Amino acid sequence: MPELPEVETVRRELVPLLTSRRITRVEIYWHRLIDRPAPEIFVQHLVGTSITALRRRGKYLIFDLDSGEHWLIHLRMTGQIYVRQAQAPIDAHTHARVYLDDGGVIHYRDQRKFGRFYLVRDEDQVVGDLGPEPLSEDWQPEDLAERIRGRRARIKTLLLDQRVVAGLGNIYADEALFLARIHPACEGGRLTEAQVRRLHRAIRQVLLEALRARGSTMSTYIPPSERRGEYQQQRRVYRRKGQPCPVCGTPIEHMKLSGRSTYFCPRCQPFSC
Ligand SMILES: [Zn+2]
């Protein structure tokens, strides 16, 4: 599932291809892809506009349009975006094509079909509840502490809550908790100040490492350049059950937390919370 580093990689690769391009035609092959407005309104409003900027908020891509509206895309599990030539073939997983004035065509593919498009004037209707951006200079350990204070939920579950911090998913939550030496099942509100500081630093470190590696290609995530992400080669615990911990050599363990697969080192991340 694309998380912050994957979505940011997609954004960076799309910027030179899409900035200032005018949209000339839109084809939607699966209407439930459009969360809002109605698909025919979505198409009507998009055609004729130009893309003035491409931003990211959490796991959302945001296309700013010269009409004043914003086109948001959430890739969810298996969404993929490619820019191809008009004659490029489509397949059963291609759910939309957006034609550009330079002959390029945005292809949206999605095997599991959980991804969604939104077209709104006020982007806060979609992203207004998201917590802070973890790579922003403004994000401080105190903010993280504030958002988990008194919470009974487990810290791993809280890190996946996009209102606590935006952009983390299963891979980078596990990796950050390992680096911070915190057991994923610890109650969030019981973390010490030192633990919260370590976690804050670990989240940034893991996300920056993953960005440099252009994300993790472990299933369907392949960015527009079709150069796969490489963070999976550096991961420390995620999907490494039974393999030695890179710090102490203890076999990595696996557990389910709120239905999510969770990986940790029982020695580096003791359940002493
Ligand atoms: Zn260890």
Side-chain angles (χ1 to χ4, degrees), residues 127-268:
V127 297
D129 287 339
L130 292 182
E133 284 293 324
L135 294 181
S136 142
E137 291 298 317
D138 303 336
W139 190 55
Q140 299 294 328
E142 293 73 25
D143 182 278
L144 179 59
E146 182 63 34
R147 286 171 199 258
I148 64 178
R149 181 167 298 144
R151 301 285 299 269
R152 304 285 313 271
R154 301 181 187 283
I155 187 61
K156 162 81 184 277
T157 306
L158 288 171
L159 290 182
L160 297 181
D161 179 345
Q162 301 298 297
R163 294 166 297 188
V164 171
V165 56
L168 286 183
N170 222 22
I171 300 174
Y172 303 113
D174 281 5
E175 294 288 306
L177 285 165
F178 172 77
L179 270 188
R181 306 192 307 278
I182 297 170
H183 195 287
C186 284
E187 227 176 75
R190 295 182 67 122
L191 295 191
T192 64
E193 199 187 312
Q195 285 178 316
V196 174
R197 286 189 175 277
R198 287 208 305 267
L199 183 55
H200 174 269
R201 196 169 51 229
I203 290 169
R204 289 210 205 216
Q205 182 184 334
V206 161
L207 292 176
L208 287 171
E209 285 174 0
L211 259 179
R212 276 195 292 274
R214 297 173 16 271
S216 304
T217 296
M218 302 184 75
S219 55
T220 58
Y221 161 73
I222 299 172
S225 62
E226 304 195 38
R227 284 177 59 217
R228 290 160 186 266
E230 291 172 347
Y231 181 80
Q232 66 280 4
Q233 291 156 20
Q234 313 169 28
R235 71 194 196 277
R236 297 167 174 94
V237 288
Y238 185 73
R239 285 200 203 158
R240 292 194 64 241
K241 183 184 176 187
Q243 296 176 46
C245 164
V247 171
C248 73
T250 305
I252 298 298
E253 289 188 7
H254 169 266
M255 71 191 294
K256 286 258 183 187
L257 279 182
S258 308
R260 307 297 300 275
S261 268
T262 298
Y263 300 85
F264 64 100
C265 170
R267 184 152 169 212
C268 296

Side-chain angles (χ1 to χ4, degrees), residues 118-130:
Y118 310 77
L119 187 69
V120 288
R121 197 153 279 282
D122 175 10
E123 68 191 62
D124 280 350
Q125 288 178 3
V126 182
V127 297
D129 287 339
L130 292 182

